[in-house]
């Protein structure tokens, strides 16, 4: 580890330039809660570390004129929590990000790092899928956007082309009576990796669900967007039959690993149970909104 | 590769140091600056024994590069007592025997101080969740939680 270099550029163009110029050997540093652990264990040995926390676009939270939000890739959960409006509009995204690790970890861990690290169990990712977030990435050939569900392509693998980095998440404006929620199942009550995670975002009109999205984590090689579960909710009053159908769709979407933290049967069953609980919380919040 | 030169503020004192780009803040505090109050229990963010604040935000110094301290303010356990005067949490930990071997104690104190700055009137549940990233092998946590709750109450009383 003697040839390693560290830079902390002040602009996005400088950050992308330095990152792209260094090739495969470079790593972006956001909160470092994955990267430093990986460096210490010898899993990664970067030649260049590009600390992106001096770049304004990557560290700011902006509410747009139409009521959407642009969240910089490196914004920590603790900073997002302090935003006066974000948690009112997107309580599910916020609670998902702030389930990550301890208070200490939340002071650093970002949604961008959580997504780029590529874990299928990353807590904020199902909530971002449910929210319908659009991600903006920038590389040597300029910037592009994609729906967040197109970003992960496998465990630890993303859609980023060489030299590209994640810039921000854009969350759409919210119709009235909309809300979201995220729940995960873990063997402990804190500081553990999700066995299943479910994010639900929905809109109600006169008690009828008119729009819904469901993100499902930790049960497949990537986080999944479960359209069939969303379709089961849309058009219903979120009655038992609709919730049962959506739960069955989540269970059917599962393709989980079998390990000491959860068997295939357990994860598949819990995915359905959590869908019902999460949708109910999102609906209660939407009624209060 | 030349070492990096970092200018920062540690416990209110302007401080400069040289570090390797891969060194953590914990490495530099302990080995470079002789501030050995912050402990290394795990080096992977799990135990909280290395807790410090960075611009008043609680972080694990083992998960932060020393180079990231440039231009920022660091506070460690060494800055908690003012000379011989213990900070109220330190006094209460002693009185209520909220420590045994003491390895977790600097991290617990730094984390608890940060909690009371954010929330002077925490519930027991809030204390337990805030301190969930600080592991203790000895006490069973109960005395620590009670010491934090008692200190909070006293500090609220003193502030009135
Ligand atoms: C004690 C502990 C507990 C944890 N608990 C949880 C948990 O409960 N749930 C959970 O989901 N995770 C957990 N994690 C993992 C980790 O905290 C999260 O994945 C976190 O969101 C990572 O964010 P970061 O900003 O620290 O990322 P970093 O470590 O800075 O980066 C992570 C990876 O993404 C890359 N990267 C970061 N930002 C960008 C970018 N903008 N563009 C391109 N690449 C980028 C980095 O190069 C690195 O490979 C835990 C970690 C620790 C140490
Ligand atoms: S040494 Fe930093 S959390 Fe354990
Ligand atoms: S007193 Fe020994 S680890 Fe806490």
């Amino acid at each position: 580890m003697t040839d390693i270099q560290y830079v902390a550029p002040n602009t996005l163009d400088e950050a992308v330039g330095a990152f792209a110029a260094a090739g495969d050997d470079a790593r972006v540093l956001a909160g470092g809660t994955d990267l430093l652990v990986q460096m210490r264990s010898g899993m990664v040995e970067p030649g260049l570390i590009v600390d992106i926390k001096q770049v304004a676009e990557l560290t700011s939270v902006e509410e747009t004129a139409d009521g959407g939000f642009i969240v910089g890739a490196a914004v920590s959960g603790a900073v997002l929590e302090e935003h006066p409006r974000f948690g009112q509009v997107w309580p599910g995204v916020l609670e998902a990000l702030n389930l990550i690790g301890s208070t200490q970890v939340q002071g650093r861990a970002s949604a961008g790092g959580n997504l780029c690290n590529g874990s299928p169990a990353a807590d904020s990712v199902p909530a971002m899928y449910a929210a319908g977030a659009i991600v903006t990435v920038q590389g040597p050939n300029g910037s592009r956007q994609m729906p967040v569900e197109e970003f992960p392509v496998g465990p630890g693998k993303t859609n980023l082309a060489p030299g590209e980095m994640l810039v921000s998440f854009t969350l759409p404006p919210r119709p009235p009576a909309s809300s979201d929620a995220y729940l995960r199942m873990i063997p402990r009550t804190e500081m553990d990796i999700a066995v299943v995670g479910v994010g639900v975002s929905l809109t109600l009109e006169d008690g009828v669900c008119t729009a819904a999205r469901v993100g499902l984590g930790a049960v497949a090689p990537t986080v999944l967007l479960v359209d069939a579960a969303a379709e089961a909710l849309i058009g219903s009053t979120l009655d038992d039959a609709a919730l049962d159908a959506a739960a069955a769709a989540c269970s059917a979407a599962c393709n989980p690993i079998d390990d000491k933290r959860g068997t295939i049967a357990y994860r598949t069953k819990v995915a359905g149970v959590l869908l019902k609980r999460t949708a109910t919380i999102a609906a209660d919040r939407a009624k209060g909104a | 590769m030349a070492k990096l030169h970092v200018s920062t503020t540690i416990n209110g004192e302007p401080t400069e140091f040289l570090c390797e780009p891969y060194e953590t803040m914990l490495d530099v505090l302990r080995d470079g600056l002789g501030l050995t109050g912050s402990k290394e229990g795990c080096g992977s963010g799990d135990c909280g024994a290395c807790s410090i604040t960075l611009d008043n935000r609680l972080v694990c110094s083992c998960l932060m590069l020393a180079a990231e301290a440039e231009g920022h303010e660091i506070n460690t356990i060494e800055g908690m007592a003012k000379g011989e005067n213990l900070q109220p949490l330190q006094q209460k930990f002693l009185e209520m025997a909220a420590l045994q071997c003491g390895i977790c104690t600097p991290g617990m104190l730094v984390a608890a101080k940060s909690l009371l700055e954010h929330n002077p009137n925490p519930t027991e549940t809030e204390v337990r969740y805030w301190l969930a990233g600080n592991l203790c092998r000895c006490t069973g946590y109960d005395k620590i939680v009670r010491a934090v709750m008692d200190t909070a109450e006293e500090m609220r009383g003193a502030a009135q």
Side-chain angles (χ1 to χ4, degrees), chain A residues 21-134:
Chain A
D24 280 358
D25 219 22
R27 283 289 182 286
V28 171
L29 171 67
T33 60
D34 282 314
L35 185 63
L36 264 70
V37 175
Q38 290 160 5
M39 281 169 55
R40 188 186 163 96
S41 70
M43 228 172 95
V44 294
E45 289 183 18
L48 174 70
I49 296 173
V50 182
D51 182 352
I52 57 174
K53 291 190 296 298
Q54 308 294 326
V55 178
E57 292 94 317
L58 294 161
T59 49
S60 54
V61 183
E62 187 196 333
E63 186 168 8
T64 55
D66 60 5
F69 282 91
I70 301 175
V71 180
V75 170
S76 70
V79 166
L80 200 56
E81 173 110 45
E82 285 161 15
H83 191 279
R85 294 255 312 138
F86 186 86
Q88 292 172 16
V89 183
W90 294 106
V93 172
L94 187 63
E95 72 194 343
L97 188 57
N98 282 334
L99 277 174
I100 294 177
S102 55
T103 316
Q104 287 86 336
V105 171
Q106 287 151 22
R108 305 272 289 167
S110 64
N114 203 213
L115 182 65
C116 291
N117 192 54
S119 164
D123 279 305
S124 68
V125 178
M128 285 288 187
Y129 276 36
I134 303 292

Side-chain angles (χ1 to χ4, degrees), chain B residues 98-105 108 135-139 144:
Chain B
L99 65 152
Q100 290 178 27
C101 79
I103 281 283
C104 71
T105 313
M108 286 287 181
L135 302 185
C136 176
R137 265 297 271 115
C138 307
T139 64
I144 293 173

Side-chain angles (χ1 to χ4, degrees), chain A residues 1-2 4-6 29 31 33 36-37 40 49 51 53-54 78-79 82 102-105 107-108 189-191, chain B residues 1 4 21-22 40 42-44 46 51 54 57-60 62-65 67-68 129-130 132-134:
Chain A
M1 281 220 274
T2 45
I4 192 166
Q5 292 189 46
Y6 167 92
L29 171 67
T33 60
L36 264 70
V37 175
R40 188 186 163 96
I49 296 173
D51 182 352
K53 291 190 296 298
Q54 308 294 326
V79 166
E82 285 161 15
S102 55
T103 316
Q104 287 86 336
V105 171
R108 305 272 289 167
T189 53
E190 257 295 76
M191 300 283 288
Chain B
M1 177 67 212
L4 297 170
Y22 56 81
E40 177 168 307
C42 65
S44 55
D46 293 292
S51 296
L54 167 65
R57 204 176 284 292
L58 185 66
V59 302
C60 293
C62 73
L63 292 186
M64 170 188 168
L65 293 177
E68 295 182 64
Y129 271 94
W130 186 277
N134 292 83

